[in-house]
Amino acid sequence: MLLKTVAAVASLMIATVCGKVKSAHFGLKVDGTDMYTVSYARYDYVQLSMEEGKPTEFRIRTLDKKPITSFRITPQKLPISAKAQGNELVFSVKKAHYLIVKINDKKEFVILADPLEKDVPSPSGKNVFNVLNFGADATGATVTKGIQAAMDAAAKTPGSVVYVPPGLYSMGNLLLRNRTSLYLAGGSVLRFTGNPADYKTLFKKSDLHPGTWWIQTEFDSFDIKVYGRGTIDGNGRATRENKYMADLLVPAGTTNFRCDGVLVRDSSFWAVTPIQVTEATITNIKILNRFDVTQDDGIDVIESTKVRVRRAIAIGKDDSFSTKTWPADTGTTVPYPYAPRAQRDVFFDDCVAWSDTYGYKLGQGVHEDQEAITFQNGVVYDAAVGFGIDHKFGSATARRIAFKNMDVERLHGNAHGQAAWMTVYVQNTGRGVGPVRDVWVKNVRARARGSRPAFLQGYNASAMVSGVTLTNIRMGADGKRATSLKEMNILETNFSENIKVVN
């Protein structure tokens, strides 16, 4: 639903509310218009769209009406000037942002503001296949087959769009067909049932459960797009209770995949996994997972080439953003379309991470080379490790890795013994060791350094960490520039060489 305010002439979209409980903690008005705030696990959230370029006023109110005595807004680096007025926090922005707001001692409130949509298809336009015309059940009462039926029909006319109107759609596996687009209108929710009988089991993870790829691309396909302001809901906790799990959105064995604007939530396993993809662009994606479901990674890019992830937020217990390569026909890799591939030219830009493990990570799998991987302009709201390289499995090489313009705001706990703003290290778990070469860490604000020393550590003379350049690393609350590894709290440096600090 689109609302228009008079004061700021901003168009705003109410969050999808199908099956969602309204927040008991926060209300929000945007230019005087009330938004639907959603209650969720450990944090609440709101989703909306806004016109950019003009000031848009946000008024967050605490529903217990207690005065606001403390607050912080992430990303802290943004020039947002907020003020407390009784039980309201007020600020204005000209650009849409993904924000995490902490007020008093309450749970966090996540604001997911996107620019206005472009190129919205008509539900009855030419070459638009409305799922309601194919018998899709928009009430969620049955496991609908209408969306796949619409997709199969659209595939006969390359370039067609499958249109999902507002509603709740319980759905089995969905195969995205060659040269088709899936449009999820605001207010539409695709929901995983959590019942293993409704799905085709594709893999078994040895330390967890059997699983499936819920929404995946056709192999050897081209030009597939998933977009809109709708929600892909993995029903993760209930799925895990049924001893099952699913990757939610899986572009696999495809070329020129695009995803824009959707909200992905409550994953029972890795949420979004580009697997052996060539050229993919993922933008304006919002991944909201729980903290009581393990291994619920946000975006894992696997054995792919030319992948761009821009303007994203990923929240959950496990890694927010990561890259991996794996061996063939082992556990989760059984359904992969091709033999193992190297990973090259992967780029994460302007993302926000909140995790109990890593915010941004290369690894743990490095069974094939990973080269030219860049994480830049990233913010870590909170994590055990801000960012780094964990070469844990495999004997291939990680090289030409860059972390640029990163901001680590808070750290807590540890991830497999690591608890630092950055860590680069090689482990031996009996599944191979390999080198890490040519790493650039530049323009980093480590507001928190972590409870343990940072690592630049290889394993042996053939699995060294080498050629690491650290430039303009600012540590602590005062942002003092560090001039040595010691000032950066990098104390573990065995089997490392050619480490440079440049200021």
Side-chain angles (χ1 to χ4, degrees):
M1 183 188 303
L2 290 177
L3 304 176
K4 182 172 285 188
T5 64
V6 177
V9 199
S11 294
L12 302 166
M13 187 189 74
I14 291 181
T16 176
V17 298
C18 291
K20 306 299 186 295
V21 178
K22 189 171 178 62
S23 171
H25 299 278
F26 304 104
L28 173 67
K29 285 187 176 181
V30 181
D31 280 342
T33 299
D34 256 317
M35 300 288 101
Y36 191 98
T37 56
V38 180
S39 176
Y40 198 44
R42 195 158 148 182
Y43 56 95
D44 292 352
Y45 71 90
V46 64
Q47 181 185 7
L48 56 96
S49 295
M50 58 173 276
E51 184 181 44
E52 295 188 305
K54 299 179 180 180
T56 297
E57 182 189 71
F58 287 71
R59 284 184 172 265
I60 306 170
R61 63 187 181 277
T62 57
L63 297 184
D64 61 8
K65 298 185 179 180
K66 292 182 179 179
I68 295 173
T69 57
S70 65
F71 64 88
R72 64 175 182 267
I73 299 175
T74 293
Q76 292 181 32
K77 65 181 181 179
L78 292 176
I80 295 177
S81 178
K83 58 184 177 181
Q85 297 179 349
N87 72 319
E88 290 189 328
L89 183 65
V90 184
F91 60 90
S92 293
V93 293
K94 291 184 179 181
K95 290 188 63 178
H97 298 289
Y98 300 147
L99 305 175
I100 301 174
V101 183
K102 180 70 173 178
I103 294 176
N104 296 345
D105 59 353
K106 297 183 179 300
K107 62 177 3 184
E108 282 83 350
F109 183 47
V110 180
I111 297 176
L112 307 169
D114 284 312
L116 296 181
E117 286 189 83
K118 299 178 180 179
D119 302 322
V120 178
S122 166
S124 57
K126 182 180 180 181
N127 294 333
V128 174
F129 292 73
N130 191 317
V131 300
L132 298 182
N133 297 330
F134 291 82
D137 180 358
T139 70
T142 63
V143 181
T144 187
K145 297 181 179 179
I147 298 176
Q148 187 65 67
M151 180 65 64
D152 293 343
K156 297 175 183 177
T157 307
S160 295
V161 176
V162 174
Y163 187 100
V164 182
L168 179 61
Y169 303 83
S170 295
M171 189 180 71
N173 293 100
L174 177 63
L175 182 64
L176 304 175
R177 302 298 299 274
N178 187 47
R179 292 178 176 164
T180 60
S181 296
L182 176 67
Y183 178 76
L184 304 179
S188 66
V189 179
L190 306 184
R191 188 166 175 82
F192 196 85
T193 70
N195 182 359
D198 294 330
Y199 299 94
K200 180 180 179 180
T201 296
L202 297 178
F203 61 84
K204 171 69 171 72
K205 196 169 190 300
S206 59
D207 60 333
L208 282 173
H209 310 300
T212 191
W213 294 349
W214 182 24
I215 303 170
Q216 73 165 92
T217 57
E218 195 171 22
F219 293 162
D220 300 319
S221 57
F222 296 84
D223 303 337
I224 292 176
K225 184 178 180 180
V226 178
Y227 67 121
R229 296 292 192 264
T231 297
I232 295 172
D233 188 330
N235 197 15
R237 186 173 181 181
T239 303
R240 280 293 193 90
E241 288 174 351
N242 288 333
K243 294 181 169 48
Y244 202 65
M245 59 191 194
D247 291 0
L248 301 187
L249 179 60
V250 188
T254 189
T255 298
N256 193 30
F257 174 82
R258 291 170 292 162
C259 179
D260 181 79
V262 297
L263 188 152
V264 180
R265 54 166 267 164
D266 201 3
S267 178
S268 56
F269 194 44
W270 302 344
V272 179
T273 53
I275 296 172
Q276 298 179 336
V277 167
T278 301
E279 298 184 6
T281 302
I282 300 173
T283 52
N284 303 317
I285 192 168
K286 301 153 289 280
I287 301 175
L288 304 183
N289 284 337
R290 304 173 64 97
F291 285 89
D292 56 2
V293 173
T294 60
Q295 298 195 36
D296 59 343
D297 294 22
I299 298 179
D300 290 347
V301 181
I302 303 169
E303 298 177 24
S304 296
T305 301
K306 294 184 180 179
V307 176
R308 303 289 181 263
V309 179
R310 289 191 172 95
R311 195 174 185 275
I313 184 170
I315 302 174
K317 187 171 185 63
D318 221 313
D319 303 331
S320 295
F321 302 96
S322 72
T323 67
K324 310 175 188 296
T325 55
W326 296 118
D329 299 324
T330 304
T332 59
T333 71
V334 168
Y336 284 17
Y338 314 125
R341 294 182 168 188
Q343 182 141 266
R344 293 186 176 90
D345 193 8
V346 178
F347 190 88
F348 295 85
D349 182 37
D350 191 19
C351 300
V352 178
W354 179 9
S355 169
D356 276 349
T357 54
Y358 279 70
Y360 304 85
K361 183 175 79 176
L362 185 152
Q364 296 172 328
V366 193
H367 285 271
E368 301 294 326
D369 287 353
Q370 295 203 48
E371 182 174 4
I373 314 296
T374 298
F375 302 87
Q376 76 171 30
N377 301 316
V379 171
V380 178
Y381 170 69
D382 204 354
V385 178
F387 57 85
I389 300 170
D390 183 359
H391 194 313
K392 186 174 183 178
F393 306 123
S395 55
T397 301
R399 63 164 64 88
R400 295 175 56 212
I401 315 302
F403 301 95
K404 301 188 295 184
N405 306 325
M406 306 294 285
D407 194 337
V408 180
E409 295 187 355
R410 301 170 70 229
L411 296 170
H412 72 278
N414 74 84
H416 309 290
Q418 301 297 310
W421 64 275
M422 180 191 73
T423 184
V424 177
Y425 72 120
V426 181
Q427 300 184 65
N428 184 2
T429 59
R431 294 166 62 177
V433 294
V436 176
R437 298 172 180 161
D438 302 327
V439 179
W440 296 272
V441 184
K442 184 176 182 180
N443 299 334
V444 172
R445 179 73 188 274
R447 301 171 194 265
R449 72 178 195 172
S451 61
R452 299 182 182 179
F455 277 56
L456 288 176
Q457 181 170 290
Y459 179 72
N460 57 27
S462 62
M464 301 278 287
V465 170
S466 62
V468 180
T469 302
L470 301 111
T471 304
N472 190 28
I473 311 301
R474 294 180 294 140
M475 302 293 295
D478 60 1
K480 181 181 178 181
R481 182 176 294 165
T483 59
S484 67
L485 294 182
K486 184 177 180 180
E487 290 181 358
M488 298 175 196
N489 201 35
I490 299 175
L491 307 182
E492 304 292 343
T493 58
N494 292 333
F495 296 107
S496 66
E497 61 183 2
N498 297 327
I499 310 301
K500 299 178 182 179
V501 177
V502 179
N503 290 301

